[in-house]
Amino acid sequence: MNKIFIEAEDKTTPEYNFLKAFVVSHFPTKEIDFICVGGIGNLFNETNINQMSEAQTVGDQVLVLIDADTVAKGYGFVKRKADIDNNMRTFKISFPYFIYPNNQDDGEVETLMESSARRDLHPVFFDCFEDYEKCISGVKDKQGQPLYNTPNLKGKLHTYMNAQKLSSRSRRRLGAGDWLFSDTNYWDLDAVALQPLKDFFTTNLK
């Protein structure tokens, strides 16, 4: 059994559904249990450390997947990696971990999602949306500050899927964080940007 600890709040999130679709696509024979920790700040709390230790005691593989985030948000890859390594030493626990998007750059799981979106099939959506982002980010108030919030990556990708002509059944799935990641009309789980994550799983999944 592989126990994969992820930042997601629960299993109704895009992160969980993206990872589940990715693993099913590339590692269909592996036995996997995703454990949602509800944010990076909870990764090393007592409950999760105990779960990790118990899993390792019975021979399960423990893996951790987390966002690098950015320097602007107070982290970035270098600081995130140092933080994890320090916490593993402090709590005397060790596990393989992958820092989104590629174990070397700043970013987040949504960076991978965006990289796997089918721009080749939906170029008009992305061209129009990015024109919209540029337009509203250029509008300033009297103090010279942005007047509007620019959508983050999660908002952009949610809009991408909401813009699609979907059946009522498929549209209901969006509300549960299932953005149809296994549907090749919208996503490419073989995208080059996902190769580092695939390599990590290839090396570490039991």
Side-chain angles (χ1 to χ4, degrees):
M1 170 67 80
N2 297 277
K3 302 275 190 177
I4 303 181
F5 290 73
I6 62 176
E7 284 191 64
E9 289 290 334
D10 55 47
K11 295 182 178 181
T12 64
T13 55
E15 179 185 1
Y16 167 78
N17 283 285
F18 171 73
L19 291 169
K20 181 181 177 183
F22 185 80
V23 169
V24 168
S25 174
H26 294 292
F27 306 95
T29 64
K30 299 296 185 180
E31 190 177 3
I32 291 172
D33 180 23
F34 287 103
I35 298 165
C36 302
V37 304
I40 182 63
N42 296 322
L43 181 60
F44 289 96
N45 68 20
E46 184 177 359
T47 298
N48 288 319
I49 290 175
N50 287 341
Q51 283 192 82
M52 292 176 187
S53 297
E54 289 168 8
Q56 290 175 335
T57 298
V58 300
D60 290 340
Q61 175 70 303
V62 169
L63 304 176
V64 169
L65 307 179
I66 55 171
D67 292 338
D69 285 321
T70 62
V71 173
K73 291 182 178 179
Y75 273 87
F77 174 80
V78 173
K79 186 174 180 180
R80 183 69 77 198
K81 184 179 188 305
D83 191 53
I84 295 171
D85 291 342
N86 288 337
N87 274 299
M88 285 199 295
R89 285 191 292 270
T90 297
F91 293 101
K92 297 179 172 58
I93 191 166
S94 181
F95 46 75
Y97 59 85
F98 184 88
I99 302 178
Y100 300 122
N102 56 14
N103 252 349
Q104 65 179 22
D105 294 322
D106 296 355
E108 53 202 356
V109 66
E110 287 83 8
T111 307
L112 287 184
M113 294 179 193
E114 184 184 37
S115 296
S116 65
R118 294 297 304 268
R119 284 178 175 263
D120 56 328
L121 297 182
H122 305 282
V124 173
F125 171 85
F126 287 100
D127 288 346
C128 290
F129 193 90
E130 285 156 14
D131 284 346
Y132 157 74
E133 288 180 304
K134 290 175 185 176
C135 181
I136 64 168
S137 65
V139 180
K140 310 294 184 182
D141 62 18
K142 292 179 180 179
Q143 286 73 45
Q145 299 300 311
L147 187 61
Y148 301 110
N149 291 323
T150 303
N152 60 18
L153 267 181
K154 184 178 290 186
K156 178 180 182 178
L157 296 173
H158 185 260
T159 303
Y160 166 60
M161 288 308 300
N162 264 305
Q164 306 300 332
K165 295 291 187 180
L166 302 174
S167 67
S168 296
R169 182 178 180 182
S170 293
R171 192 163 293 283
R172 283 194 295 271
R173 290 169 62 183
L174 301 185
D178 182 354
W179 292 355
L180 314 179
F181 291 108
S182 60
D183 192 324
T184 56
N185 290 307
Y186 312 114
W187 309 96
D188 176 12
L189 297 182
D190 291 308
V192 173
L194 276 62
Q195 188 63 43
L197 179 61
K198 185 178 180 182
D199 291 344
F200 173 80
F201 281 141
T202 299
T203 300
N204 293 293
L205 287 177
K206 283 189 175 181

